[in-house]
Amino acid sequence: MGAIFLIFNGCILLKKEGASKTNLVSLSLGVSVLAFYVVTFYYLTSETKVFNVNTLSNVIFVIAVYSYLIFCTAFIAFMLYSFIYLTVPNKKIYDFIIVHGAGLRDGEYVTPLLRQRIEKAVEAYLNSSNPYIKIIVSGGQGPDEKISEAQAMANYIESRTSVPIDRVILEDKSTTTYENLLFSKALGKKLVDNPKFLFVTNNYHVYRTSAYARKIKMDGDGLGCRTAGYYIPSAFIREFIAACVKIKWAFVVLYTLLFIFLFVI
């Protein structure tokens, strides 16, 4: 059922967002998982001696099953950790709210996804008990953009919200999530001693952003905003892949153990 859901979701995503490498993630994974199920069914119902690893096809099958179990376990753990992180309430008083940038529509206007981040940040700003809190809009100008993402967000805040524009700080040099945090932290430290940050992004993106915050020793917490349902599976899978890359040494150890086992037997 999981494979069918991913394929169905991938088709919806392509229809709504258009074809791109990132939008093909859900569909590609669904097809791969379905193919794995078909091959597994064949091996378990045919006369092939599945556990006789003396043949290349059986070695490949064992590796595929091993990989499936490892990544399924890791994915479940990743989902649980992300859910717990998002549901644990934060009671801190923050000095700055960072809004992570994203691609712009027509090179100068915020997209629905980015608008959700801004509105979540504005909500946090209005509910803050710190009268001096400020919003840092963070994002540089891409090669296909007419203005920086920070400027586009500032324009939206000025024209569409009640937040005074003098409470908005532009960080318009960053090009990655890591740089969003790093450069925003530097701006905050120029204005406040030991600043506390609340960084706002989409809920699927909070885990990785939080990992970067810990890496640069930022005193901050993540706040996730709502994401269109059809977009979540693909985005969450991409975040999972990024998390796996960060701990690739663990997978190297696991696969080393497998190959030692195959070599011994």
Side-chain angles (χ1 to χ4, degrees):
M1 290 298 294
I4 301 300
F5 168 77
L6 288 173
I7 293 172
F8 178 71
N9 174 257
C11 292
I12 293 176
L13 183 61
L14 290 174
K15 181 179 179 179
K16 289 183 176 290
E17 301 288 336
S20 70
K21 291 181 180 179
T22 55
N23 290 343
L24 283 170
V25 170
S26 180
L27 178 61
S28 299
L29 182 61
V31 171
S32 298
V33 172
L34 184 61
F36 171 77
Y37 288 156
V38 171
V39 172
T40 300
F41 178 78
Y42 166 75
Y43 262 78
L44 294 179
T45 57
S46 70
E47 297 298 323
T48 306
K49 295 181 180 179
V50 177
F51 299 106
N52 177 10
V53 293
N54 293 323
T55 63
L56 179 60
S57 60
N58 284 335
V59 169
I60 294 173
F61 177 71
V62 169
I63 294 173
V65 171
Y66 188 78
S67 300
Y68 179 81
L69 294 175
I70 286 177
F71 285 101
C72 275
T73 302
F75 188 71
I76 292 171
F78 179 72
M79 284 197 302
L80 289 174
Y81 185 90
S82 298
F83 176 78
I84 292 171
Y85 188 94
L86 287 169
T87 54
V88 172
N90 295 316
K91 302 293 185 180
K92 295 180 183 177
I93 297 177
Y94 301 99
D95 300 296
F96 300 97
I97 301 171
I98 302 171
V99 187
H100 287 268
L104 303 177
R105 178 173 57 84
D106 298 329
E108 58 182 321
Y109 304 109
V110 301
T111 60
L113 181 144
L114 186 52
R115 184 175 66 245
Q116 289 171 347
R117 296 182 184 181
I118 297 170
E119 291 177 350
K120 192 71 173 181
V122 170
E123 178 186 331
Y125 171 90
L126 296 175
N127 292 331
S128 174
S129 58
N130 179 3
Y132 305 106
I133 192 169
K134 294 187 175 183
I135 296 176
I136 300 177
V137 287
S138 180
Q141 182 176 348
D144 59 343
E145 294 172 339
K146 300 174 184 177
I147 59 176
S148 69
E149 294 167 5
Q151 186 62 61
M153 289 188 281
N155 293 345
Y156 181 89
I157 291 174
E158 183 177 20
S159 62
R160 304 289 288 275
T161 76
S162 60
V163 178
I165 194 60
D166 61 356
R167 307 306 292 276
V168 178
I169 301 172
L170 273 69
E171 184 292 292
D172 57 2
K173 304 300 180 186
S174 59
T175 58
T176 64
T177 298
Y178 179 80
E179 290 182 351
N180 287 156
L181 295 175
L182 187 65
F183 297 166
S184 295
K185 179 185 176 183
L187 289 176
K189 290 184 68 175
K190 290 180 181 179
L191 301 173
V192 176
D193 292 330
N194 302 314
K196 292 180 173 59
F197 299 88
L198 179 68
F199 42 88
V200 179
T201 185
N202 289 79
N203 44 24
Y204 64 83
H205 193 225
V206 170
Y207 172 81
R208 182 156 59 103
T209 309
S210 302
Y212 287 143
R214 290 192 296 271
K215 184 176 181 179
I216 65 173
K217 296 181 172 56
M218 169 184 277
D219 186 357
D221 298 296
L223 178 63
C225 66
R226 188 180 64 83
T227 307
Y230 67 83
Y231 195 82
I232 291 176
S234 180
F236 200 80
I237 291 167
R238 296 202 308 271
E239 292 300 308
F240 171 68
I241 293 172
C244 289
V245 172
K246 287 180 65 66
I247 59 168
K248 54 183 176 295
W249 57 268
F251 294 101
V252 170
V253 171
L254 290 171
Y255 277 101
T256 299
L257 293 174
L258 172 63
F259 285 116
I260 291 174
F261 171 77
L262 291 175
F263 179 77
V264 169
I265 62 172

